Amino acid sequence: FCLGSGLSWEPRSRAVEQVHLRCTEGSLEWMYPARALRVVLEPNLSSTQHTTVCIKPASDFQGASIYVERAGQLHLVVSEAEGARPHHVSCFSAHTPQGVALFLQASPQRDVSRRTASFQYELLSNQSAAGPDFKKMALVEAMCRPCDNVELLMAICSSDFVVKGSIRNVSHDSENHVSQVDVGVQKVYRQKNRIFQQDEVSGEWRGPVRTLLRCKVKRGGGDFLFTGNEHFGEAWLGCAPRFKDFMFIYRAARERGANPCEFQLN
């Protein structure tokens, strides 16, 4: 997380402030944007080539526009008007493995009322993204078809979250082409962040999982094993077999020595 203010610079300075961010995902908050800010995304993981960058502006994003530098030219990624759109995510290809340079240009303004240009970013490898569009990236997580046995066994090893639970409710957002599954959780095997939390009153563990509207997820009975990955603090559905089917597949693989990782059965 990077925090800074445009008011901290010398008023007469024409220099562009530079910030270097070394993580593959994070956020930046630029308060009182003034003049310009150059943000270089250059992760320390030199062994991994990240080919796609996704940016999600905060819902109150204002005061600046975001550009990406390519061959000495600036290309608009997020305008100030677009920044206020909920769930708006912009993805683009990273042509150079050395780093990606973003250029934040402050909007002209006469007053000094508080404005904040805040956004989250993720650098994705070509294995986890399917093109310069966030819906395509999400489609990798929400494949709209049952996972085969190999995909399922890999999902329990590599997913950001793995939980056993049932579907409490499903709601649809046609404007943003997503559905949200409200999961009642019986057991949390793994979660990267606190997507699934315990209700203080009922004591039940619950959490929201998102998927594409085109997957036509419906409420169904029984227990499932929900797996998937997180993007910008939201859980996106990956493989979600019925729990009894998963147990049969995993036990058969373990007997053959074909399970890629150990999974806690009890």
Side-chain angles (χ1 to χ4, degrees):
F1 177 78
C2 180
L3 176 66
S5 172
L7 298 181
S8 62
W9 303 344
E10 291 292 332
R12 297 180 180 178
S13 174
R14 292 183 177 271
V16 176
E17 188 79 6
Q18 292 202 73
V19 176
H20 293 259
L21 302 180
R22 307 287 185 182
C23 299
T24 56
E25 60 181 86
S27 60
L28 181 140
E29 184 174 319
W30 190 25
M31 298 181 295
Y32 304 103
R35 294 176 294 282
L37 179 68
R38 187 172 185 263
V39 181
V40 182
L41 308 178
E42 44 184 6
N44 288 328
L45 301 177
S46 58
S47 60
T48 302
Q49 184 173 352
H50 296 86
T51 59
T52 303
V53 179
C54 292
I55 295 174
K56 181 179 182 181
S59 58
D60 58 351
F61 182 99
Q62 57 180 327
S65 295
I66 304 176
Y67 300 80
V68 59
E69 290 184 6
R70 286 197 181 124
Q73 300 292 320
L74 296 178
H75 300 268
L76 182 65
V77 177
V78 177
S79 68
E80 183 176 13
E82 291 175 330
R85 291 167 52 191
H87 308 299
H88 177 64
V89 175
S90 298
C91 297
F92 52 89
S93 298
H95 294 293
T96 58
Q98 293 82 7
V100 177
L102 303 176
F103 191 85
L104 277 69
Q105 175 68 56
S107 305
Q109 50 188 301
R110 295 182 178 180
D111 58 30
V112 292
S113 59
R114 176 166 182 142
R115 290 177 171 85
T116 302
S118 177
F119 66 89
Q120 296 174 280
Y121 73 91
E122 287 189 9
L123 277 68
L124 304 169
S125 66
N126 54 4
Q127 286 81 17
S128 60
D133 182 88
F134 180 68
K135 292 170 186 174
K136 292 181 181 177
M137 181 186 74
L139 186 59
V140 176
E141 311 301 339
M143 293 176 285
C144 298
R145 61 171 176 81
C147 295
D148 62 31
N149 293 357
V150 174
E151 290 170 333
L152 174 56
L153 293 171
M154 289 302 301
I156 63 173
C157 304
S158 59
S159 295
D160 290 338
F161 64 89
V162 181
V163 300
K164 176 186 178 182
S166 58
I167 299 175
R168 290 286 183 263
N169 187 44
V170 178
S171 56
H172 305 289
D173 182 351
S174 57
E175 181 179 354
N176 292 295
H177 308 286
V178 297
S179 297
Q180 179 168 299
V181 182
D182 183 16
V183 177
V185 178
Q186 298 177 27
K187 185 174 181 60
V188 177
Y189 294 98
R190 180 169 68 253
Q191 63 171 328
K192 183 179 178 181
N193 294 305
R194 291 181 55 81
I195 297 293
F196 304 96
Q197 299 187 33
Q198 188 175 26
D199 184 271
E200 295 181 357
V201 178
S202 66
E204 182 185 20
W205 283 77
R206 301 186 75 158
V209 178
R210 297 164 70 83
T211 188
L212 295 181
L213 185 66
R214 60 173 290 183
C215 294
K216 299 180 180 179
V217 175
K218 298 180 181 179
R219 181 175 177 178
D223 296 331
F224 296 83
L225 186 74
F226 296 94
T227 71
N229 290 307
E230 292 185 26
H231 295 295
F232 301 107
E234 296 173 338
W236 284 86
L237 186 64
C239 300
R242 290 194 175 274
F243 192 78
K244 61 179 182 180
D245 296 335
F246 158 72
M247 292 291 287
F248 177 81
I249 294 168
Y250 178 78
R251 284 172 173 159
R254 191 174 64 172
E255 290 177 1
R256 302 192 313 270
N259 53 315
C261 65
E262 290 294 327
F263 186 81
Q264 180 184 357
L265 292 177
N266 297 326

